[in-house]
Amino acid sequence: KQWYQAEYGASVKLSFGNSHKEWEKAVVDYNIKNQRRWKGSVVRQVLKDEKKYYMDLIEHSRAHLMLYPYHLSDVLVKGLRITPFVYYTKMMETIMEQERSYDSLPNFTAADCLRLLGIGRNQYIDMMNQSRNRRFFRRRPASVLLPVKPVNLLIIEPYWTIHIGLVTEEDIRACNPTEKSVIDTLIDTGGSKVGVLDKDTCISLYSRGLVYVVVPVMDSDLIIVPPLENFVMNRVMGDYFENLLYKIFVSIDEHTKIGDLAAVLEVDVELVKNAISMYIRLGFAKKKRDKEENGIYMSRGSVIKVESTI
């Protein structure tokens, strides 16, 4: 409270009715709704429990059908073992139990669910029909119909980086020697480009939630948007990140660097890079690389395709 009194002037305090509690509530709500990082944010002065903050953030995001906050993977996966797969599985289970239609999923969220769970409109309708099947005398729980591992086709490009998640001693005992070696490497180096590691090992560790993948984007990168495939047209929720995704998506120019695009749009460059990273992860965009760089990646196998585990 002393920090609040010292940092803010009368006009700011008046906007919250001179109520310190109202200000605290507004700070927490804003940061959670905008999926802000706890460290480095004023929310640390209000909510001292970092774990509770992130659990509340995840609960809010999932309840409002928001995209998984990949920019917080280092905290969510490494600290709490909340992987994108776990996040979307729980989300899908909830909307199935509520008997909500597939159209309730926002466009980008639906695309990410399709990418990770292999569940599109037809699959969702089929699962709902199975859940209601009276042959089982009672409604089948949604959890038994959902996949137990990431499915469908997942593309991981060699320049993406892979990082260690939350790995227990039990996890280590279940690993083969090659997997243990990769885990040791990731612990020692803090992360590595996917292209320099064994692809089957990366697939295995990722499918078990032991590692997470980052799509690095630089201010100087140029982005290409190819013809869209697997884009799901559902509803628009209008949360902060979805609005940003659409705003940037219609503004991308393969001749304009990301840093310059952020300046033109007057949007924080880190937010723009988060959005571009999401486009690439979903397969809706790709980096524009020169011929020499493309040759290097082709020699390493171009892309890694993770086949369905069903």
Side-chain angles (χ1 to χ4, degrees):
K1 192 169 184 177
Q2 292 178 347
W3 182 87
Y4 162 78
Q5 295 289 354
E7 286 290 321
Y8 294 98
S11 60
V12 174
K13 295 172 186 175
L14 184 61
S15 65
F16 295 106
N18 285 317
S19 170
H20 181 252
K21 287 186 177 180
E22 287 300 313
W23 172 80
E24 287 186 334
K25 182 178 181 296
V27 167
V28 174
D29 287 348
Y30 174 82
N31 280 271
I32 285 178
K33 289 178 180 178
N34 289 276
Q35 298 178 322
R36 299 287 296 270
R37 187 174 292 273
W38 183 81
K39 288 185 177 178
S41 170
V42 67
V43 76
R44 293 181 64 186
Q45 305 294 333
V46 177
L47 196 58
K48 304 295 184 180
D49 188 336
E50 182 179 7
K51 181 178 180 180
K52 184 182 186 310
Y53 170 77
Y54 283 116
M55 294 304 294
D56 289 348
L57 186 153
I58 283 294
E59 185 62 30
H60 172 88
S61 298
R62 191 157 45 204
H64 289 80
L65 309 180
M66 296 172 67
L67 280 162
Y68 179 85
Y70 287 97
H71 60 289
L72 302 175
S73 292
D74 59 319
V75 177
L76 299 180
V77 180
K78 192 172 184 178
L80 302 175
R81 205 167 192 171
I82 301 175
T83 66
F85 178 78
V86 169
Y87 175 83
Y88 288 125
T89 300
K90 182 62 176 177
M91 179 188 293
M92 195 66 68
E93 180 180 349
T94 299
I95 67 171
M96 288 181 66
E97 289 175 347
Q98 295 172 348
E99 296 198 14
R100 298 171 68 176
S101 73
Y102 179 77
D103 292 333
S104 63
L105 289 172
N107 293 328
F108 288 104
T109 301
D112 213 16
C113 285
L114 177 61
R115 181 181 72 93
L116 287 172
L117 308 184
I119 298 174
R121 186 183 307 276
N122 293 338
Q123 292 83 2
Y124 184 82
I125 293 173
D126 183 56
M127 287 193 304
M128 289 300 294
N129 289 335
Q130 290 183 55
S131 176
R132 297 166 179 151
N133 195 324
R134 294 187 177 182
R135 288 184 306 164
F136 299 99
F137 302 105
R138 61 187 178 86
R139 185 182 179 88
R140 297 180 70 187
S143 57
V144 304
L145 300 172
L146 294 167
V148 296
K149 290 183 179 181
V151 298
N152 209 3
L153 188 67
L154 177 67
I155 296 178
I156 306 177
E157 294 207 35
Y159 74 88
W160 295 10
T161 58
I162 190 167
H163 303 262
I164 198 69
L166 180 59
V167 181
T168 65
E169 292 184 4
E170 183 178 352
D171 294 325
I172 294 294
R173 286 195 293 270
C175 290
N176 61 41
T178 304
E179 291 170 340
K180 290 179 181 178
S181 176
V182 170
I183 288 174
D184 288 340
T185 298
L186 296 179
I187 292 174
D188 292 340
T189 62
S192 175
K193 287 186 177 180
V194 174
V196 302
L197 300 171
D198 178 73
K199 72 172 185 178
D200 292 331
T201 302
C202 291
I203 293 169
S204 175
L205 294 175
Y206 182 86
S207 67
R208 285 143 60 192
L210 303 183
V211 298
Y212 63 93
V213 175
V214 172
V215 181
V217 176
M218 308 298 291
D219 292 24
S220 58
D221 285 336
L222 297 172
I223 302 299
I224 299 173
V225 179
L228 290 181
E229 295 180 6
N230 297 323
F231 187 73
V232 182
M233 284 303 298
N234 276 359
R235 64 187 298 195
V236 177
M237 288 289 286
D239 66 72
Y240 91 99
F241 196 52
E242 186 180 45
N243 287 336
L244 182 64
L245 285 167
Y246 282 114
K247 181 177 182 179
I248 297 172
F249 201 63
V250 299
S251 305
I252 292 176
D253 174 1
E254 64 178 276
H255 303 294
T256 303
K257 295 179 181 179
I258 291 176
D260 296 334
L261 177 63
V264 169
L265 296 176
E266 297 182 337
V267 176
D268 184 275
V269 69
E270 292 303 317
L271 291 177
V272 174
K273 289 193 289 188
N274 286 345
I276 298 295
S277 179
M278 177 60 73
Y279 299 145
I280 296 173
R281 192 184 292 270
L282 293 174
F284 296 159
K286 59 183 180 180
K287 284 189 181 185
K288 184 178 181 180
R289 297 194 287 265
D290 58 35
K291 293 182 179 179
E292 180 180 353
E293 187 177 6
N294 279 332
I296 292 174
Y297 283 111
M298 287 297 292
S299 69
R300 289 179 179 171
S302 187
V303 295
I304 296 172
K305 294 184 177 180
V306 183
E307 302 295 343
S308 171
T309 57
I310 290 182

